């Protein structure tokens, strides 16, 4: 019988990759990608300090990347058991650690409800998660490597949000990161921002940008 390390080699694939199909197989692929690539890229953001964006027409935007925001940014939640009638949601901080350890049961992983009513069609929730997973790694790598460049992409921008509770979006023509103010333990609003949402669409789209406002181009980005 293999030792514990042998089981960890197949950390997420308890059903066996060849035995799964459809969305179950997709979740296994996502879980592998999260452990091997996506979470390590985000961990670099979480441990890099503050990302400061400088742009025309507004004060600097300072962004922190808390680890507990990661599961929602990739559109996934984790539950206490497989039984949907008995299960309760596991805290996102714990889910983050389980992903990092490679100790996730994909049958307890589900498409997040945080930005959707619980009655939202499962196909819609699946598609939302799929879109996030498609773009997440590229976004996290791009943000992670900003310190290597003088500035950012030419089409990067910040816009006022038309979606509550998101305050602003930043991003490019292909993705948008929704930001809200960080709150301290007493509920006081802090000047720093944290990620609230990640969507695969133009930051300047009518869905993201508040009607009657204009976008501010990001002219410089750096870690401080």
């Amino acid at each position: 019988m293999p030792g514990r390390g042998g089981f960890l080699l197949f950390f997420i694939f308890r059903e066996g990759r060849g035995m799964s199909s459809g969305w179950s197989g997709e979740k296994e692929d996502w879980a592998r990608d999260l452990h091997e690539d996506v979470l390590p890229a985000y961990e670099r953001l979480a441990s890099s300090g503050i990302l400061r964006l400088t742009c025309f027409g507004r004060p600097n935007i300072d962004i922190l990347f808390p680890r507990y925001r990661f599961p929602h940014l990739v559109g996934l939640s984790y539950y206490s058991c497989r039984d949907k009638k008995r299960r309760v949601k596991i805290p996102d901080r714990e889910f983050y650690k389980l992903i990092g350890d490679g100790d996730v049961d994909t049958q307890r992983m589900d498409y997040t409800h945080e930005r959707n009513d619980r009655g939202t069609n499962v196909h819609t929730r699946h598609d939302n998660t799929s879109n996030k997973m498609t773009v997440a790694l590229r976004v996290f790598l791009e943000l992670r490597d900003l310190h290597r460049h003088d500035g950012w992409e030419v089409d990067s921008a910040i816009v006022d949000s038309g979606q509550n509770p998101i305050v602003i979006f930043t991003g490019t023509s292909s993705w948008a990161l929704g930001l809200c103010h960080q709150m301290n333990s007493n509920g006081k609003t802090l000047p720093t921002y944290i990620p609230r949402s990640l969507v695969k669409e133009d930051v300047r789209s009518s869905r993201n940008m508040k009607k009657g406002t204009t976008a501010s181009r990001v002219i410089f980005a750096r870690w401080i």
Side-chain angles (χ1 to χ4, degrees):
M1 178 178 294
R4 181 175 177 81
F7 285 121
L8 286 177
L9 181 63
F10 299 98
F11 56 102
I12 291 168
F13 314 111
R14 295 173 183 173
E15 296 176 335
R17 187 177 180 123
M19 297 171 61
S20 60
S21 61
W23 286 359
S24 295
E26 184 178 50
K27 283 184 179 179
E28 292 180 354
D29 293 339
W30 287 347
R32 178 186 289 108
D33 292 342
L34 290 171
H35 175 76
E36 295 180 354
D37 300 307
V38 187
L39 185 140
Y42 189 85
E43 176 62 27
R44 177 70 177 273
L45 302 180
S47 59
S48 290
I50 295 174
L51 175 61
R52 172 164 291 175
L53 305 182
T54 300
C55 58
F56 287 116
R58 68 171 71 222
N60 289 338
I61 303 297
D62 290 344
I63 309 170
L64 287 169
F65 293 85
R67 292 173 178 85
Y68 72 87
R69 294 306 305 161
F70 175 81
H72 179 63
L73 295 181
V74 297
L76 293 165
S77 297
Y78 199 65
Y79 292 87
S80 56
C81 64
R82 298 181 179 185
D83 186 342
K84 293 187 177 182
K85 295 182 179 179
R86 298 174 52 228
R87 70 185 189 179
V88 295
K89 185 175 178 294
I90 296 294
D92 287 332
R93 288 180 176 84
E94 184 176 339
F95 187 23
Y96 187 91
K97 184 177 185 302
L98 290 171
I99 295 170
D101 291 342
D103 191 20
V104 171
D105 179 355
T106 56
Q107 291 191 36
R108 292 163 56 189
M109 191 170 73
D110 200 1
Y111 317 114
T112 187
H113 290 284
E114 188 170 326
R115 276 194 66 190
N116 299 287
D117 184 270
R118 286 190 174 272
T120 301
N121 185 287
V122 66
H123 294 276
T124 299
R125 293 192 290 111
H126 164 270
D127 291 347
N128 289 340
T129 298
S130 181
N131 286 335
K132 291 174 186 290
M133 286 296 300
T134 299
V135 75
L137 179 59
R138 178 165 63 87
V139 172
F140 298 156
L141 288 175
E142 184 175 335
L143 293 172
R144 185 193 70 179
D145 292 337
L146 284 176
H147 68 284
R148 300 180 182 178
H149 310 289
D150 293 327
W152 202 1
E153 289 187 21
V154 68
D155 69 338
S156 59
I158 293 175
V159 303
D160 292 312
S161 169
Q163 303 179 33
N164 186 49
I166 296 171
V167 179
I168 57 176
F169 279 93
T170 187
T172 70
S173 60
S174 58
W175 59 267
L177 185 68
L179 304 171
C180 62
H181 282 291
Q182 185 182 24
M183 309 286 284
N184 67 14
S185 58
N186 296 321
K188 180 181 178 181
T189 300
L190 301 177
T192 47
Y193 291 84
I194 59 173
R196 176 78 185 187
S197 178
L198 176 63
V199 292
K200 185 184 177 183
E201 59 188 43
D202 192 335
V203 69
R204 300 174 180 84
S205 73
S206 59
R207 182 171 179 267
N208 295 328
M209 188 165 68
K210 187 176 182 179
K211 186 176 181 179
T213 63
T214 57
S216 301
R217 186 170 66 86
V218 177
I219 58 175
F220 190 73
R222 66 190 179 97
W223 291 96
I224 60 173

